[in-house]
Coordinates of all heavy atoms in Angstrom, one line a residue:
M1 N 21.0 -39.7 -6.4 CA 20.8 -38.3 -6.4 C 21.5 -37.5 -7.4 O 21.0 -36.7 -8.0 CB 21.1 -37.8 -4.9 CG 20.8 -36.3 -4.7 SD 19.1 -36.0 -4.8 CE 19.1 -34.2 -4.6
K2 N 22.8 -37.9 -7.5 CA 23.7 -37.2 -8.5 C 23.2 -37.5 -9.9 O 23.1 -36.6 -10.7 CB 25.2 -37.6 -8.4 CG 25.7 -37.2 -7.1 CD 27.2 -37.7 -7.0 CE 27.8 -37.4 -5.7 NZ 29.1 -38.0 -5.5
N3 N 22.8 -38.8 -10.2 CA 22.3 -39.1 -11.5 C 21.0 -38.4 -11.8 O 20.8 -38.0 -13.0 CB 22.2 -40.6 -11.6 CG 23.5 -41.4 -11.7 OD1 24.5 -40.8 -12.0 ND2 23.5 -42.6 -11.3
A4 N 20.2 -38.3 -10.8 CA 18.9 -37.5 -11.1 C 19.2 -36.1 -11.4 O 18.5 -35.5 -12.3 CB 18.0 -37.6 -9.8
L5 N 20.2 -35.5 -10.8 CA 20.5 -34.1 -11.1 C 21.1 -33.9 -12.5 O 20.7 -33.1 -13.3 CB 21.5 -33.5 -10.0 CG 21.9 -32.0 -10.2 CD1 20.6 -31.1 -10.1 CD2 22.9 -31.7 -9.1
Q6 N 22.0 -35.0 -12.8 CA 22.6 -34.9 -14.2 C 21.4 -35.1 -15.2 O 21.4 -34.4 -16.2 CB 23.6 -36.0 -14.3 CG 24.8 -35.7 -13.6 CD 25.9 -36.9 -13.7 OE1 25.5 -38.0 -13.8 NE2 27.1 -36.5 -13.6
Y7 N 20.6 -36.1 -15.0 CA 19.4 -36.2 -15.9 C 18.5 -35.0 -16.0 O 18.0 -34.6 -17.1 CB 18.6 -37.5 -15.5 CG 19.4 -38.7 -15.9 CD1 19.5 -39.7 -14.9 CD2 19.9 -39.0 -17.1 CE1 20.2 -40.9 -15.2 CE2 20.6 -40.2 -17.4 CZ 20.7 -41.1 -16.4 OH 21.4 -42.3 -16.7
G8 N 18.3 -34.4 -14.9 CA 17.5 -33.1 -14.9 C 18.1 -32.1 -15.7 O 17.5 -31.3 -16.5
V9 N 19.5 -31.8 -15.6 CA 20.2 -30.8 -16.3 C 20.2 -31.2 -17.8 O 19.9 -30.3 -18.6 CB 21.6 -30.7 -15.8 CG1 22.4 -29.8 -16.8 CG2 21.6 -30.1 -14.4
L10 N 20.3 -32.4 -18.1 CA 20.3 -32.8 -19.5 C 18.8 -32.6 -20.1 O 18.7 -32.2 -21.3 CB 20.7 -34.3 -19.7 CG 22.2 -34.5 -19.5 CD1 22.5 -35.9 -19.6 CD2 23.0 -33.8 -20.5
I11 N 17.8 -32.9 -19.4 CA 16.5 -32.8 -19.8 C 16.2 -31.3 -20.0 O 15.6 -30.9 -21.0 CB 15.5 -33.4 -18.8 CG1 15.6 -34.9 -18.9 CG2 14.0 -32.9 -19.1 CD1 14.8 -35.7 -17.9
V12 N 16.5 -30.4 -19.1 CA 16.3 -29.0 -19.2 C 17.0 -28.5 -20.4 O 16.5 -27.6 -21.2 CB 16.8 -28.3 -17.9 CG1 16.9 -26.8 -18.2 CG2 15.9 -28.6 -16.8
C13 N 18.3 -28.8 -20.7 CA 19.1 -28.4 -21.8 C 18.3 -28.9 -23.1 O 18.2 -28.2 -24.1 CB 20.5 -28.9 -21.9 SG 21.4 -28.1 -20.6
A14 N 17.9 -30.2 -23.2 CA 17.2 -30.7 -24.4 C 16.0 -30.0 -24.6 O 15.7 -29.6 -25.9 CB 17.0 -32.2 -24.2
V15 N 15.2 -29.7 -23.6 CA 13.9 -28.9 -23.8 C 14.2 -27.6 -24.3 O 13.5 -27.0 -25.2 CB 13.1 -28.9 -22.6 CG1 11.9 -28.0 -22.6 CG2 12.6 -30.3 -22.2
A16 N 15.3 -27.0 -23.8 CA 15.6 -25.5 -24.2 C 16.0 -25.5 -25.7 O 15.5 -24.7 -26.4 CB 16.8 -25.0 -23.3
F17 N 16.8 -26.5 -26.1 CA 17.2 -26.6 -27.5 C 16.0 -26.9 -28.4 O 15.9 -26.4 -29.5 CB 18.3 -27.6 -27.7 CG 19.7 -27.1 -27.3 CD1 20.4 -27.7 -26.4 CD2 20.2 -26.1 -28.0 CE1 21.6 -27.2 -25.9 CE2 21.5 -25.5 -27.7 CZ 22.2 -26.1 -26.6
L18 N 15.1 -27.8 -27.9 CA 14.0 -28.2 -28.7 C 13.0 -26.9 -28.8 O 12.5 -26.6 -30.0 CB 13.2 -29.3 -28.0 CG 12.0 -29.8 -28.8 CD1 12.4 -30.4 -30.1 CD2 11.3 -30.8 -27.9
M19 N 12.8 -26.1 -27.8 CA 12.0 -25.0 -27.9 C 12.6 -23.9 -28.8 O 11.8 -23.3 -29.5 CB 11.7 -24.4 -26.5 CG 10.9 -25.4 -25.6 SD 9.3 -25.8 -26.2 CE 8.4 -24.3 -26.0
A20 N 13.9 -23.8 -28.7 CA 14.5 -22.8 -29.6 C 14.4 -23.3 -31.0 O 14.2 -22.4 -31.9 CB 16.0 -22.7 -29.2
G21 N 14.5 -24.5 -31.2 CA 14.5 -25.1 -32.6 C 13.1 -24.9 -33.2 O 12.9 -24.7 -34.4
L22 N 12.1 -25.2 -32.3 CA 10.7 -25.1 -32.8 C 10.3 -23.7 -33.1 O 9.4 -23.4 -33.9 CB 9.7 -25.7 -31.8 CG 9.9 -27.2 -31.7 CD1 8.9 -27.8 -30.6 CD2 9.6 -27.9 -33.0
G23 N 10.9 -22.7 -32.4 CA 10.5 -21.3 -32.6 C 11.2 -20.7 -33.8 O 10.7 -19.6 -34.2
L24 N 12.1 -21.4 -34.4 CA 12.7 -20.8 -35.6 C 11.8 -21.0 -36.9 O 11.2 -22.0 -37.0 CB 14.1 -21.5 -35.9 CG 15.2 -21.3 -34.9 CD1 16.4 -22.1 -35.2 CD2 15.5 -19.8 -34.8
S25 N 11.8 -20.0 -37.6 CA 11.0 -20.1 -38.9 C 12.0 -20.2 -40.1 O 12.9 -19.4 -40.1 CB 10.0 -19.0 -39.0 OG 10.7 -17.8 -39.1
F26 N 11.7 -21.1 -41.0 CA 12.6 -21.2 -42.1 C 11.8 -20.8 -43.3 O 10.6 -20.9 -43.4 CB 13.1 -22.7 -42.3 CG 13.9 -23.2 -41.1 CD1 13.4 -23.9 -40.1 CD2 15.2 -22.8 -41.0 CE1 14.1 -24.3 -39.0 CE2 16.0 -23.2 -39.9 CZ 15.4 -24.0 -38.9
G27 N 12.5 -20.3 -44.3 CA 11.9 -19.9 -45.5 C 12.5 -18.6 -46.1 O 13.7 -18.4 -45.9
T28 N 11.7 -17.7 -46.6 CA 12.2 -16.5 -47.2 C 12.4 -15.5 -46.0 O 11.4 -15.1 -45.4 CB 11.2 -16.0 -48.2 OG1 10.9 -17.0 -49.1 CG2 11.7 -14.7 -48.9
P29 N 13.7 -15.0 -45.9 CA 13.8 -14.0 -44.9 C 13.2 -12.6 -45.3 O 13.0 -12.4 -46.4 CB 15.4 -13.8 -44.8 CG 15.8 -14.3 -46.1 CD 14.8 -15.4 -46.7
A30 N 13.0 -11.8 -44.3 CA 12.4 -10.5 -44.5 C 13.3 -9.6 -45.2 O 14.5 -9.6 -44.9 CB 12.0 -9.9 -43.2
Y31 N 12.8 -8.9 -46.1 CA 13.7 -8.0 -47.0 C 13.9 -6.7 -46.1 O 12.9 -6.1 -45.7 CB 13.1 -7.7 -48.3 CG 13.8 -6.6 -49.1 CD1 15.0 -7.0 -49.7 CD2 13.4 -5.3 -49.1 CE1 15.7 -6.0 -50.5 CE2 14.0 -4.4 -49.8 CZ 15.2 -4.7 -50.5 OH 15.9 -3.7 -51.2
T32 N 15.1 -6.2 -46.0 CA 15.3 -4.9 -45.5 C 16.3 -4.1 -46.3 O 17.0 -4.7 -47.2 CB 16.0 -5.0 -44.1 OG1 17.3 -5.7 -44.2 CG2 15.1 -5.9 -43.1
D33 N 16.3 -2.8 -46.2 CA 17.2 -1.9 -46.9 C 18.7 -2.2 -46.5 O 19.7 -1.9 -47.2 CB 16.8 -0.4 -46.7 CG 15.5 -0.1 -47.4 OD1 15.2 -0.8 -48.3 OD2 14.9 0.8 -47.0
M34 N 18.9 -2.7 -45.2 CA 20.2 -2.9 -44.7 C 20.9 -4.0 -45.5 O 22.1 -3.9 -45.7 CB 20.1 -3.3 -43.3 CG 21.5 -3.5 -42.6 SD 22.4 -2.0 -42.5 CE 21.5 -1.0 -41.3
D35 N 20.2 -4.9 -46.1 CA 20.8 -6.0 -46.9 C 21.5 -5.4 -48.1 O 22.6 -5.7 -48.4 CB 19.7 -7.0 -47.3 CG 19.0 -7.7 -46.2 OD1 19.6 -7.7 -45.0 OD2 17.9 -8.2 -46.3
D36 N 20.7 -4.6 -48.8 CA 21.3 -3.9 -50.0 C 22.4 -3.0 -49.7 O 23.5 -3.0 -50.4 CB 20.2 -3.1 -50.7 CG 19.1 -4.0 -51.4 OD1 19.4 -5.1 -51.6 OD2 18.0 -3.5 -51.6
Y37 N 22.4 -2.3 -48.5 CA 23.5 -1.4 -48.2 C 24.8 -2.3 -47.9 O 25.8 -1.9 -48.3 CB 23.2 -0.6 -46.9 CG 24.2 0.3 -46.4 CD1 24.5 1.5 -47.1 CD2 25.1 -0.2 -45.4 CE1 25.5 2.3 -46.6 CE2 26.1 0.6 -45.0 CZ 26.4 1.8 -45.6 OH 27.4 2.6 -45.2
M38 N 24.6 -3.4 -47.2 CA 25.8 -4.2 -46.8 C 26.3 -4.8 -48.1 O 27.6 -5.0 -48.2 CB 25.4 -5.2 -45.7 CG 25.2 -4.6 -44.4 SD 25.0 -6.0 -43.2 CE 24.8 -4.9 -41.8
L39 N 25.4 -5.3 -49.0 CA 26.0 -5.9 -50.2 C 26.7 -4.9 -51.0 O 27.7 -5.1 -51.7 CB 24.8 -6.6 -51.0 CG 24.3 -7.8 -50.3 CD1 23.1 -8.3 -51.1 CD2 25.4 -8.9 -50.2
A40 N 26.2 -3.6 -51.1 CA 26.8 -2.6 -52.0 C 28.0 -2.0 -51.4 O 29.0 -1.7 -52.1 CB 25.7 -1.5 -52.2
H41 N 28.1 -1.8 -50.1 CA 29.2 -1.1 -49.5 C 30.1 -2.0 -48.5 O 31.1 -1.5 -47.9 CB 28.7 0.1 -48.6 CG 28.0 1.0 -49.4 ND1 26.5 1.0 -49.6 CD2 28.3 2.1 -50.2 CE1 26.2 2.0 -50.3 NE2 27.2 2.6 -50.7
G42 N 29.7 -3.3 -48.4 CA 30.4 -4.2 -47.4 C 31.9 -4.3 -47.7 O 32.8 -4.1 -46.8
Q43 N 32.3 -4.6 -48.9 CA 33.6 -4.8 -49.3 C 34.5 -3.5 -49.2 O 35.6 -3.6 -48.6 CB 33.8 -5.4 -50.7 CG 35.2 -5.7 -51.0 CD 35.3 -6.3 -52.5 OE1 34.5 -6.2 -53.3 NE2 36.5 -6.9 -52.7
E44 N 33.9 -2.4 -49.6 CA 34.6 -1.1 -49.5 C 34.8 -0.7 -48.0 O 35.9 -0.2 -47.7 CB 33.7 -0.1 -50.2 CG 34.2 1.3 -50.1 CD 33.2 2.2 -50.8 OE1 32.7 1.9 -51.9 OE2 33.0 3.3 -50.2
E45 N 33.8 -0.9 -47.2 CA 33.9 -0.4 -45.8 C 34.7 -1.4 -44.9 O 35.3 -1.0 -43.9 CB 32.6 -0.2 -45.2 CG 31.9 1.0 -45.8 CD 30.5 1.2 -45.3 OE1 30.0 0.4 -44.4 OE2 29.9 2.3 -45.6
T46 N 34.6 -2.7 -45.2 CA 35.3 -3.6 -44.3 C 36.6 -4.1 -44.8 O 37.5 -4.6 -44.1 CB 34.4 -4.9 -44.0 OG1 34.2 -5.6 -45.2 CG2 33.1 -4.5 -43.4
G47 N 36.8 -4.0 -46.1 CA 38.0 -4.5 -46.6 C 38.0 -6.0 -46.8 O 39.0 -6.6 -47.1
S48 N 36.9 -6.7 -46.6 CA 36.8 -8.1 -46.7 C 36.1 -8.5 -48.1 O 35.2 -7.9 -48.4 CB 35.9 -8.7 -45.5 OG 35.7 -10.1 -45.6
N49 N 36.7 -9.6 -48.6 CA 36.0 -10.1 -49.9 C 34.9 -10.9 -49.6 O 34.1 -11.2 -50.5 CB 37.1 -10.9 -50.7 CG 38.1 -9.9 -51.3 OD1 37.9 -8.8 -51.6 ND2 39.3 -10.5 -51.5
N50 N 34.8 -11.5 -48.4 CA 33.6 -12.3 -48.0 C 32.7 -11.4 -47.1 O 33.1 -11.0 -46.1 CB 34.1 -13.5 -47.2 CG 33.0 -14.5 -46.9 OD1 31.8 -14.1 -46.9 ND2 33.3 -15.6 -46.5
I51 N 31.5 -11.2 -47.6 CA 30.6 -10.2 -47.0 C 30.1 -10.8 -45.6 O 29.9 -10.0 -44.6 CB 29.4 -9.9 -47.9 CG1 28.5 -8.8 -47.2 CG2 28.5 -11.1 -48.0 CD1 29.3 -7.5 -47.2
V52 N 30.0 -12.1 -45.5 CA 29.6 -12.7 -44.2 C 30.7 -12.4 -43.2 O 30.5 -12.1 -42.0 CB 29.4 -14.2 -44.4 CG1 29.1 -14.9 -43.0 CG2 28.3 -14.5 -45.3
T53 N 32.0 -12.6 -43.5 CA 33.1 -12.3 -42.6 C 33.1 -10.9 -42.3 O 33.3 -10.5 -41.1 CB 34.4 -12.7 -43.2 OG1 34.3 -14.1 -43.6 CG2 35.5 -12.4 -42.3
G54 N 32.8 -10.0 -43.2 CA 32.8 -8.5 -42.9 C 31.6 -8.2 -42.0 O 31.9 -7.3 -41.1
V55 N 30.5 -8.8 -42.1 CA 29.4 -8.5 -41.2 C 29.7 -9.0 -39.8 O 29.5 -8.3 -38.8 CB 28.0 -9.1 -41.8 CG1 27.0 -9.0 -40.7 CG2 27.6 -8.3 -43.1
V56 N 30.1 -10.2 -39.8 CA 30.3 -10.8 -38.4 C 31.4 -10.2 -37.6 O 31.3 -9.9 -36.5 CB 30.5 -12.3 -38.6 CG1 31.0 -13.0 -37.3 CG2 29.3 -13.0 -39.1
F57 N 32.5 -9.9 -38.2 CA 33.7 -9.4 -37.6 C 33.9 -7.9 -37.7 O 34.8 -7.4 -36.9 CB 35.0 -10.1 -38.0 CG 35.0 -11.6 -37.6 CD1 34.8 -12.6 -38.6 CD2 35.2 -12.0 -36.3 CE1 34.8 -13.9 -38.3 CE2 35.2 -13.3 -36.0 CZ 35.0 -14.3 -37.0
D58 N 33.2 -7.2 -38.5 CA 33.4 -5.8 -38.6 C 32.1 -5.1 -38.2 O 32.1 -4.3 -37.2 CB 33.8 -5.3 -40.0 CG 34.5 -4.0 -40.0 OD1 34.5 -3.3 -39.0 OD2 35.0 -3.7 -41.0
Y59 N 31.0 -5.2 -38.9 CA 29.9 -4.5 -38.4 C 29.3 -4.9 -37.1 O 28.8 -4.2 -36.3 CB 28.7 -4.8 -39.5 CG 28.9 -4.0 -40.8 CD1 28.9 -4.8 -42.0 CD2 29.0 -2.7 -40.9 CE1 29.2 -4.1 -43.2 CE2 29.3 -2.0 -42.1 CZ 29.3 -2.8 -43.3 OH 29.5 -2.1 -44.4
R60 N 29.4 -6.3 -36.9 CA 28.8 -6.8 -35.6 C 29.9 -7.4 -34.7 O 29.8 -8.3 -34.0 CB 27.8 -7.9 -35.9 CG 26.7 -7.4 -36.7 CD 25.6 -8.4 -36.9 NE 25.2 -8.9 -35.6 CZ 24.7 -10.1 -35.5 NH1 24.5 -11.0 -36.4 NH2 24.2 -10.5 -34.2
G61 N 31.1 -6.8 -34.7 CA 32.2 -7.3 -33.9 C 32.0 -7.4 -32.4 O 32.3 -8.4 -31.9
F62 N 31.5 -6.3 -31.8 CA 31.3 -6.4 -30.4 C 30.1 -7.3 -30.1 O 30.2 -8.1 -29.0 CB 30.9 -5.0 -29.9 CG 32.1 -4.1 -29.8 CD1 32.2 -3.0 -30.5 CD2 33.2 -4.4 -29.0 CE1 33.3 -2.1 -30.5 CE2 34.3 -3.6 -28.9 CZ 34.3 -2.4 -29.7
D63 N 29.1 -7.4 -30.9 CA 28.1 -8.4 -30.7 C 28.7 -9.9 -30.8 O 28.3 -10.7 -29.9 CB 27.0 -8.3 -31.8 CG 25.8 -9.1 -31.5 OD1 25.4 -9.2 -30.3 OD2 25.1 -9.5 -32.4
T64 N 29.5 -10.1 -31.7 CA 30.1 -11.4 -31.9 C 31.0 -11.7 -30.7 O 31.0 -12.9 -30.1 CB 30.9 -11.5 -33.1 OG1 30.0 -11.3 -34.2 CG2 31.6 -12.9 -33.3
L65 N 31.7 -10.7 -30.2 CA 32.5 -10.9 -29.0 C 31.8 -11.3 -27.8 O 32.0 -12.1 -27.0 CB 33.4 -9.7 -28.7 CG 34.3 -9.8 -27.6 CD1 35.4 -10.8 -27.7 CD2 35.0 -8.4 -27.3
G66 N 30.6 -10.5 -27.6 CA 29.7 -10.8 -26.5 C 29.1 -12.2 -26.6 O 29.0 -12.9 -25.6
E67 N 28.7 -12.6 -27.8 CA 28.2 -14.0 -27.9 C 29.2 -15.0 -27.6 O 28.9 -16.1 -27.0 CB 27.6 -14.2 -29.4 CG 26.4 -13.3 -29.7 CD 26.1 -13.3 -31.2 OE1 26.9 -13.8 -32.0 OE2 25.1 -12.8 -31.5
A68 N 30.4 -14.8 -28.1 CA 31.5 -15.8 -27.8 C 31.8 -15.9 -26.3 O 32.0 -17.0 -25.7 CB 32.8 -15.5 -28.5
T69 N 31.7 -14.7 -25.6 CA 31.9 -14.7 -24.1 C 30.8 -15.5 -23.4 O 31.1 -16.2 -22.5 CB 32.0 -13.2 -23.7 OG1 33.0 -12.6 -24.4 CG2 32.2 -13.2 -22.2
V70 N 29.6 -15.3 -23.9 CA 28.5 -16.0 -23.2 C 28.6 -17.5 -23.4 O 28.4 -18.3 -22.5 CB 27.1 -15.4 -23.7 CG1 26.0 -16.4 -23.4 CG2 26.8 -14.0 -23.3
L71 N 28.9 -17.9 -24.7 CA 29.0 -19.3 -25.0 C 30.2 -19.9 -24.2 O 30.1 -21.0 -23.7 CB 29.2 -19.5 -26.4 CG 28.1 -19.3 -27.3 CD1 28.4 -19.5 -28.8 CD2 26.9 -20.3 -27.0
F72 N 31.4 -19.2 -24.1 CA 32.4 -19.7 -23.3 C 32.1 -19.9 -21.8 O 32.4 -20.9 -21.2 CB 33.6 -18.7 -23.4 CG 34.8 -19.2 -22.6 CD1 35.7 -20.2 -23.0 CD2 35.2 -18.5 -21.5 CE1 36.8 -20.6 -22.3 CE2 36.2 -18.8 -20.7 CZ 37.1 -19.9 -21.1
T73 N 31.4 -18.9 -21.3 CA 31.0 -19.0 -19.9 C 30.1 -20.1 -19.6 O 30.2 -20.8 -18.6 CB 30.3 -17.6 -19.5 OG1 31.2 -16.6 -19.8 CG2 29.9 -17.7 -18.0
V74 N 29.1 -20.4 -20.5 CA 28.2 -21.5 -20.4 C 28.9 -22.8 -20.5 O 28.6 -23.7 -19.7 CB 27.0 -21.4 -21.5 CG1 26.3 -22.7 -21.6 CG2 26.2 -20.2 -21.2
V75 N 29.8 -22.9 -21.4 CA 30.5 -24.2 -21.5 C 31.4 -24.4 -20.3 O 31.5 -25.6 -19.8 CB 31.4 -24.2 -22.8 CG1 32.4 -25.4 -22.8 CG2 30.5 -24.3 -24.0
L76 N 32.0 -23.4 -19.8 CA 32.9 -23.5 -18.6 C 32.0 -23.9 -17.4 O 32.4 -24.8 -16.6 CB 33.6 -22.2 -18.3 CG 34.5 -22.1 -17.1 CD1 35.7 -23.1 -17.4 CD2 35.0 -20.7 -16.9
G77 N 30.8 -23.2 -17.2 CA 29.9 -23.6 -16.1 C 29.4 -25.0 -16.2 O 29.4 -25.7 -15.2
A78 N 29.0 -25.5 -17.4 CA 28.5 -26.8 -17.6 C 29.7 -27.8 -17.3 O 29.4 -28.9 -16.7 CB 28.0 -27.0 -18.9
G79 N 30.9 -27.5 -17.7 CA 32.0 -28.3 -17.5 C 32.3 -28.5 -16.0 O 32.5 -29.6 -15.5
L80 N 32.2 -27.4 -15.2 CA 32.4 -27.4 -13.8 C 31.3 -28.3 -13.1 O 31.6 -29.0 -12.2 CB 32.5 -26.0 -13.2 CG 33.7 -25.2 -13.7 CD1 33.6 -23.8 -13.2 CD2 35.0 -25.9 -13.0
V81 N 30.1 -28.1 -13.5 CA 28.9 -28.8 -12.9 C 29.1 -30.3 -13.1 O 29.0 -31.1 -12.2 CB 27.6 -28.3 -13.4 CG1 26.5 -29.3 -13.0 CG2 27.3 -26.9 -12.9
F82 N 29.4 -30.7 -14.3 CA 29.5 -32.1 -14.6 C 30.8 -32.7 -14.0 O 30.8 -33.9 -13.6 CB 29.4 -32.4 -16.1 CG 28.1 -32.2 -16.6 CD1 27.7 -31.3 -17.5 CD2 27.1 -33.1 -16.2 CE1 26.5 -31.1 -18.0 CE2 25.8 -33.0 -16.7 CZ 25.4 -32.0 -17.6
R83 N 31.9 -31.9 -13.9 CA 33.1 -32.4 -13.3 C 32.8 -32.6 -11.8 O 33.2 -33.7 -11.3 CB 34.2 -31.4 -13.5 CG 35.5 -31.9 -12.9 CD 36.6 -31.0 -13.3 NE 37.8 -31.5 -12.6 CZ 38.6 -30.8 -11.9 NH1 38.3 -29.5 -11.6 NH2 39.7 -31.2 -11.4
R84 N 32.2 -31.8 -11.1 CA 31.9 -31.9 -9.7 C 30.9 -33.1 -9.5 O 31.1 -33.8 -8.5 CB 31.3 -30.6 -9.2 CG 31.0 -30.7 -7.7 CD 31.2 -29.4 -7.0 NE 31.0 -29.4 -5.6 CZ 31.9 -29.4 -4.7 NH1 33.1 -29.3 -5.0 NH2 31.6 -29.5 -3.4
L85 N 29.9 -33.2 -10.3 CA 28.9 -34.3 -10.1 C 29.6 -35.7 -10.4 O 29.1 -36.7 -9.9 CB 27.8 -34.1 -11.0 CG 26.8 -32.9 -10.6 CD1 25.7 -32.8 -11.7 CD2 26.3 -33.1 -9.3
G86 N 30.6 -35.7 -11.2 CA 31.2 -37.0 -11.7 C 32.3 -37.5 -10.6 O 32.7 -38.7 -10.7
K87 N 32.7 -36.7 -9.7 CA 33.6 -37.2 -8.7 C 33.0 -38.0 -7.6 O 31.8 -37.7 -7.3 CB 34.3 -35.9 -8.0 CG 35.3 -35.3 -9.0 CD 36.2 -34.3 -8.3 CE 37.2 -33.8 -9.3 NZ 38.3 -33.1 -8.6
K88 N 33.7 -38.9 -7.1 CA 33.2 -39.7 -6.0 C 33.3 -39.0 -4.7 O 34.1 -38.0 -4.5 CB 34.0 -41.0 -5.9 CG 33.8 -41.8 -7.2 CD 34.6 -43.0 -7.1 CE 34.5 -43.9 -8.4 NZ 35.3 -45.0 -8.5
E89 N 32.6 -39.4 -3.7 CA 32.6 -38.8 -2.3 C 33.9 -38.7 -1.7 O 34.3 -37.8 -1.1 CB 31.6 -39.5 -1.4 CG 30.1 -39.3 -1.9 CD 29.6 -37.9 -1.7 OE1 30.1 -37.1 -0.9 OE2 28.8 -37.4 -2.6
D90 N 34.7 -39.8 -1.8 CA 36.0 -39.9 -1.1 C 37.1 -39.0 -1.7 O 38.0 -38.7 -1.1 CB 36.5 -41.4 -1.1 CG 36.7 -42.0 -2.5 OD1 36.1 -41.4 -3.4 OD2 37.3 -43.0 -2.6
E91 N 36.8 -38.4 -2.9 CA 37.8 -37.6 -3.5 C 37.7 -36.2 -3.0 O 38.6 -35.4 -3.0 CB 37.5 -37.4 -5.0 CG 37.8 -38.7 -5.8 CD 37.5 -38.6 -7.2 OE1 37.5 -37.5 -7.7 OE2 37.4 -39.7 -7.9
Y92 N 36.6 -35.8 -2.2 CA 36.5 -34.5 -1.5 C 37.0 -34.5 -0.1 O 36.9 -33.4 0.6 CB 35.1 -34.0 -1.6 CG 34.6 -33.7 -3.0 CD1 33.7 -34.5 -3.7 CD2 35.2 -32.6 -3.6 CE1 33.4 -34.2 -5.0 CE2 34.8 -32.3 -4.9 CZ 33.9 -33.1 -5.6 OH 33.5 -32.8 -6.8
E93 N 37.4 -35.6 0.4 CA 37.8 -35.6 1.8 C 39.2 -35.0 1.9 O 40.1 -35.3 1.2 CB 37.9 -37.1 2.3 CG 36.5 -37.7 2.4 CD 36.6 -39.1 3.0 OE1 37.7 -39.5 3.4 OE2 35.6 -39.9 2.9
Y94 N 39.3 -34.1 2.9 CA 40.6 -33.5 3.2 C 41.0 -33.8 4.5 O 40.2 -34.1 5.5 CB 40.4 -31.9 3.1 CG 39.9 -31.5 1.8 CD1 38.6 -31.2 1.5 CD2 40.8 -31.4 0.7 CE1 38.2 -30.7 0.3 CE2 40.4 -31.0 -0.6 CZ 39.1 -30.6 -0.8 OH 38.8 -30.2 -2.0
E95 N 42.3 -33.8 4.7 CA 42.8 -34.1 6.1 C 42.9 -33.0 7.0 O 42.9 -31.9 6.7 CB 44.3 -34.7 5.9 CG 44.3 -36.0 5.1 CD 45.6 -36.5 5.0 OE1 46.5 -36.2 5.8 OE2 45.9 -37.3 4.1

């Protein structure tokens, strides 16, 4: 039963990653005016010499913090599920 649940969780995760990967399109990104603005004013407004760092940690700082929080919560939850499933029955007996 435990192995079936573990395999089920792994299959669901694999299908989710596969669907997300198939949904991505690669090639030429869409052109927007925001790109030119960030390239022209990014170093001046953020103080960063690397425009990617300036965008991720300054323009999108709260978004990045939210994404990191979601990823941390998912990893913590998956760790708790697999830890609980990996324990033997006699480890849960209390006196």
Side-chain angles (χ1 to χ4, degrees):
M1 180 67 182
K2 292 178 187 175
N3 288 336
L5 183 59
Q6 286 177 334
Y7 288 128
V9 170
L10 288 175
I11 289 172
V12 167
C13 290
V15 168
F17 281 116
L18 183 64
M19 295 301 290
L22 292 176
L24 294 175
S25 62
F26 298 99
T28 307
Y31 174 79
T32 63
D33 292 334
M34 185 62 71
D35 301 338
D36 290 336
Y37 178 82
M38 288 187 181
L39 289 174
H41 300 94
Q43 184 178 19
E44 175 185 318
E45 291 182 354
T46 64
S48 174
N49 288 330
N50 186 341
I51 190 64
V52 174
T53 302
V55 169
V56 170
F57 291 109
D58 201 350
Y59 288 123
R60 299 183 59 201
F62 286 115
D63 189 35
T64 303
L65 180 65
E67 291 169 352
T69 303
V70 168
L71 287 175
F72 177 75
T73 304
V74 168
V75 168
L76 183 66
L80 289 174
V81 166
F82 284 115
R83 181 172 180 234
R84 181 147 179 106
L85 291 176
K87 288 193 175 191
K88 297 177 182 173
E89 292 293 329
D90 58 345
E91 294 180 19
Y92 290 109
E93 292 182 12
Y94 299 103
E95 294 182 25

